Amino acid sequence: MYFPDIPVIKYEGPKSENPLAFKYYDPDRVIMGKTMKEHLPFAMAWWHNLCAAGTDMFGRDTADKSFGCEKGTMEHAHAKVDAGFEFMQKLGVGLFCFHDVDIVPEADDINETNRRLDEISDHILEKEKETGIKCLWGTANLFGNPRYMNGAGSSNSADVYCFAAAQVKKAIDVTVKLGGRHYLFWGGREGYETLLNTDVKFEQENIAALMRMAVEYGRRQGIKGDFYIEPKPKEPTKHQYDFDAATAIGFLRQYGLDKDFKLNIEANHATLAGHTFQHDLRISAMNGMLGSIDANQGDYLLGWDTDEFPYDVYETTMCMYEVLKYGGLTGGFNFDAKNRRPSYTPEDQFYAYILAMDAYALGLINAAKLIEDGRIDRFIEERYASYKTGIGAKIRSGEATLEELADYAGKLGAPALPGSGRQEYLESVVNQVLFG
Ligand code: XUL
Ligand code: CO
């Protein structure tokens, strides 16, 4: 046991003061016809939870994630598997996400790295069978190694491009072996630092080609779900090509990848792009492209990806509002989040997941209440009522011509002002539903 002092985390309700209990996440509670557990397929991010130990630009690790072993060894990699499964089991988290190099230390020779991946995935598979926990998605880390300084699919070096392809191929194999339904591309360094040295069109064509090859191979190997792009506007590069949901959707359509790909929307990436989290969820959902979510939050005062555990219940509420309206996710809610550096103990890791799972449970409860209340839906319905009949209906049906609309306008004199947006009223409805 790696967390001997931590019990299985149970639901104790909102009055409980036990820090090691859920206050809102009650897995079997039914909301709008499904249990909370079904609505909220939570996933653990291997990299933050089992690897990252607090190192930042200004200081070294604060947390001990050695799990009693020397880091960088296969012994350590195996210990992480056991610790990770114990962690997920104690919290009732049923899924995990991984990069290839999160689960094994990378060797100089890719053949040796692949051998290590075979060894570790045997162990993970065994734990999956024992616990029922599964892989949500896998991915290859195509940004950490210096060879990827200019990107992977977007690299100026064809040899580096091939190396990326080799990593993607193996990461797909491991994902399929672990029962993962989905495969993810986060464009780690797929972007540029300056246009003075960059052929954007050339690079984007190459990225699309790599993705097309991955789909072609992945479908043959057994990726049954979706391929994902995870948009992010900047960091590590000054400009990332998968800037936001709208940009990623345009890219996927341009290169004919939109049937196989959906989006994995990360809250902190959406806010870095200057959007709300809800905005990128809405854009994905309305295009039928919402696949999965990296459930974290950023800090509006900081201009980088702080990857905090979700705490802001307004944000989780609006997220779950979009998800419920969409009919749920075929992916999951991956906590791509890390403890703040001074919260360095194993208990802090559990507190973080309890916070996050409770924040999403609250979001779900609130979003269902907003939908059941119906005032927001009714308001929106009425707001566009002028398109239901007459000239409005004609516009919607696509039968109107510009001349006809101009004639119509000419007879109107000045149109009446459109109905009030009633923003403050609607915000007060939200607060009443949440706190009333
Ligand atoms: C980086 C990020 C990644 C992806 C997976 O900002 O979010 O961890 O989720 O590569
Ligand atoms: Co992410």
Side-chain angles (χ1 to χ4, degrees):
M1 271 223 261
Y2 290 89
F3 307 103
D5 302 330
I6 310 282
V8 169
I9 309 299
K10 297 213 179 73
Y11 170 73
E12 289 186 4
K15 298 260 180 321
S16 168
E17 291 191 5
N18 175 3
L20 290 169
F22 295 118
K23 320 297 181 300
Y24 303 98
Y25 180 62
D26 181 4
D28 298 321
R29 176 169 164 193
V30 175
I31 300 213
M32 293 180 86
K34 281 202 286 183
T35 62
M36 274 198 174
K37 205 175 162 170
E38 289 167 327
H39 279 292
L40 298 168
F42 292 128
M44 178 191 78
W46 207 278
W47 53 104
H48 283 308
N49 207 49
L50 301 169
C51 311
T55 291
D56 69 10
M57 230 99 95
F58 303 96
R60 54 183 188 272
D61 285 352
T62 55
D64 177 6
K65 295 207 179 159
S66 64
F67 303 109
C69 305
E70 194 188 326
K71 284 184 163 188
T73 62
M74 280 305 282
E75 192 199 358
H76 181 237
H78 282 288
K80 289 198 300 189
V81 175
D82 290 327
F85 275 80
E86 183 186 335
F87 183 83
M88 289 185 276
Q89 259 194 310
K90 286 189 163 165
L91 282 155
V93 169
L95 297 161
F96 63 88
C97 301
F98 72 96
H99 303 83
D100 46 1
V101 304
D102 304 335
I103 57 175
V104 293
E106 192 178 10
D108 290 336
D109 176 355
I110 189 167
N111 297 301
E112 169 57 14
T113 307
N114 289 350
R115 193 206 59 74
R116 293 178 185 179
L117 285 167
D118 291 338
E119 177 186 323
I120 208 74
S121 50
D122 283 345
H123 185 183
I124 297 176
L125 192 58
E126 210 176 278
K127 297 299 287 183
E128 286 188 339
K129 287 188 181 144
E130 193 183 306
T131 61
I133 292 168
K134 295 198 191 77
C135 169
L136 172 61
W137 50 253
T139 186
N141 178 322
L142 305 179
F143 44 90
N145 192 294
R147 77 176 79 91
Y148 297 124
M149 63 173 72
N150 296 335
S154 64
S155 178
N156 56 309
S157 157
D159 284 359
V160 170
Y161 188 97
C162 293
F163 211 94
Q167 268 186 263
V168 169
K169 176 173 178 288
K170 188 66 183 176
I172 288 174
D173 291 342
V174 175
T175 302
V176 171
K177 176 172 170 184
L178 298 179
R181 288 183 53 77
H182 313 285
Y183 184 82
L184 177 127
F185 284 89
W186 167 56
R189 292 182 196 272
E190 313 290 33
Y192 61 79
E193 297 297 336
T194 172
L195 288 174
L196 290 174
N197 65 12
T198 304
D199 185 334
V200 174
K201 184 164 184 285
F202 183 91
E203 292 195 359
Q204 293 201 357
E205 285 166 1
N206 278 357
I207 295 169
L210 183 61
M211 289 179 171
R212 195 170 303 114
M213 289 186 266
V215 168
E216 197 269 318
Y217 178 76
R219 291 296 182 213
R220 261 193 285 130
Q221 298 310 303
I223 296 283
K224 301 226 161 48
D226 296 308
F227 288 80
Y228 294 141
I229 281 189
E230 181 178 324
K232 185 174 184 183
K234 56 189 167 185
E235 191 199 24
T237 65
K238 168 201 174 80
H239 178 95
Q240 301 271 131
Y241 293 137
D242 303 331
F243 194 90
D244 59 4
T247 312
I249 291 168
F251 170 86
L252 291 172
R253 287 188 179 151
Q254 180 175 359
Y255 293 104
L257 294 163
D258 51 312
K259 298 287 171 290
D260 291 288
F261 274 80
K262 286 195 165 60
L263 302 185
N264 180 49
I265 297 299
E266 175 164 324
N268 202 166
H269 295 179
T271 54
L272 279 180
H275 305 309
T276 59
F277 180 24
Q278 188 184 5
H279 169 95
D280 258 18
L281 293 169
R282 176 74 60 90
I283 298 297
S284 310
M286 75 185 209
N287 285 288
M289 301 278 274
L290 177 56
S292 205
I293 287 177
D294 269 12
N296 63 9
Q297 74 174 42
D299 183 322
Y300 288 104
L301 300 183
L302 302 176
W304 63 92
D305 195 13
T306 57
D307 284 345
E308 294 168 37
F309 281 92
Y311 154 76
D312 183 330
V313 174
Y314 282 105
E315 275 209 358
T316 60
T317 298
M318 294 336 279
C319 168
M320 291 313 298
Y321 182 79
E322 297 299 324
V323 169
L324 286 178
K325 293 247 167 202
Y326 191 59
L329 293 182
T330 48
F333 296 83
N334 168 47
F335 293 123
D336 189 358
K338 56 184 182 233
N339 283 91
R340 296 306 86 192
R341 196 163 176 267
S343 305
Y344 62 89
T345 73
E347 301 88 83
D348 287 310
Q349 281 177 266
F350 282 88
Y351 296 158
Y353 269 66
I354 292 168
L355 165 72
M357 291 163 79
D358 271 342
Y360 266 86
L362 275 169
L364 169 63
I365 295 165
N366 291 336
K369 282 204 250 169
L370 283 174
I371 291 170
E372 276 157 7
D373 175 84
R375 276 178 284 176
I376 293 179
D377 278 340
R378 276 201 302 282
F379 184 83
I380 292 174
E381 180 75 20
E382 280 160 27
R383 187 157 186 249
Y384 298 97
S386 67
Y387 289 91
K388 282 199 182 131
T389 54
I391 196 73
K394 211 160 184 200
I395 294 170
R396 291 297 291 169
S397 69
E399 286 160 27
T401 65
L402 204 62
E403 295 94 314
E404 189 183 359
L405 301 190
D407 273 354
Y408 178 91
K411 287 178 199 137
L412 271 182
L417 286 178
S420 165
R422 298 263 187 263
Q423 181 170 336
E424 298 75 8
Y425 158 73
L426 292 166
E427 287 167 347
S428 83
V429 169
V430 171
N431 276 351
Q432 185 197 2
V433 171
L434 264 56
F435 302 104

